[in-house]
Amino acid sequence: MTSANPGASRLIATVYALRTALAESTDLLRFTLGGTIDEETAADAEADGVPREFLDFCRVLDGASCGPSVQLFGLEEAEEHQFYCGPVVDSPLELSPEKLFCVGMIHETPVFLDRAGGGLLGIPDEHREWVDAERFERLAPGLEAFFLERLATPEYARLASLDDESVEYDDWLKLLRRAGLAN
């Protein structure tokens, strides 16, 4: 990822603000933000079929635990969760490891990077069991956009289904506020 890409610069600045706020917040969980992956690790993973978009994100942020209901995987954890991409008997979804790469979970439902289109895909909210969904819902044009527009903003509270009572106890929302990313 180069700094010539304005999105990359924004991602780097956002992650820096989050890391700074986390370092100053002794009351928040340390494992909230993952580290970064190096070029050698990224090259090896790409040779093994991991999508470049995911690896570019991991070069800046190798996973984020945004509270109990929203998580973006780091490289190692993502590799362990690719079983979600495989076909499921009687599921109407077109699941395929060649088409999808699992990058996280929202409310115990996998989130996928579309290998062909690059978009981030999830399951519409109305489905209780994700394998019963009839279609995917596009959550964002890509992983970086999803993080910057949905997780590193006040939009996170809606995505995580936080009610008025739980908002004050959510560590990710506290971190966003301390980093100046949410009010």
Side-chain angles (χ1 to χ4, degrees), residues 37-50 55 59 75:
I37 61 169
D38 59 40
E39 291 304 317
E40 183 180 345
T41 301
D44 290 347
E46 189 170 5
D48 288 339
V50 176
L55 295 170
R59 284 180 177 100
L75 176 59

Side-chain angles (χ1 to χ4, degrees), residues 62-170:
D62 189 27
S65 182
C66 309
S69 59
V70 181
Q71 179 181 13
L72 288 180
F73 298 143
L75 176 59
E76 188 176 319
E77 195 167 11
E79 291 175 328
E80 295 170 4
H81 284 82
Q82 293 315 300
F83 62 89
Y84 282 112
C85 300
V88 175
V89 175
D90 295 330
S91 175
L93 294 172
E94 291 186 39
L95 297 167
S96 163
E98 291 78 28
K99 295 179 181 180
L100 304 170
F101 187 80
C102 185
V103 297
M105 303 287 279
I106 300 174
H107 302 290
E108 299 179 20
T109 300
V111 175
F112 301 99
L113 183 62
D114 179 351
R115 288 179 181 267
L120 205 70
L121 305 174
I123 304 302
D125 289 339
E126 65 268 12
H127 292 281
R128 298 205 71 34
E129 296 295 325
W130 72 273
V131 295
D132 295 333
E134 294 177 5
R135 63 181 171 77
F136 289 111
E137 175 179 74
R138 187 175 169 121
L139 302 174
L143 182 57
E144 187 175 295
F146 179 73
F147 182 80
L148 291 171
E149 297 166 12
R150 309 272 314 262
L151 297 182
T153 68
E155 170 69 11
Y156 158 76
R158 189 198 67 72
L159 186 68
S161 302
L162 298 178
D163 58 26
D164 291 341
E165 214 172 279
S166 60
V167 164
E168 71 180 88
Y169 300 105
D170 188 88

Side-chain angles (χ1 to χ4, degrees), residues 2-65:
T2 66
S3 59
N5 174 350
S9 296
R10 186 170 159 224
L11 177 63
I12 291 167
T14 300
V15 170
Y16 178 79
L18 290 166
R19 288 190 196 290
T20 301
L22 185 60
E24 297 169 354
S25 301
T26 58
D27 61 322
L28 300 181
L29 299 173
R30 298 285 115 201
F31 64 83
T32 301
L33 297 172
T36 60
I37 61 169
D38 59 40
E39 291 304 317
E40 183 180 345
T41 301
D44 290 347
E46 189 170 5
D48 288 339
V50 176
R52 178 172 287 168
E53 180 179 348
F54 179 72
L55 295 170
D56 286 346
F57 186 83
C58 291
R59 284 180 177 100
V60 178
L61 181 60
D62 189 27
S65 182

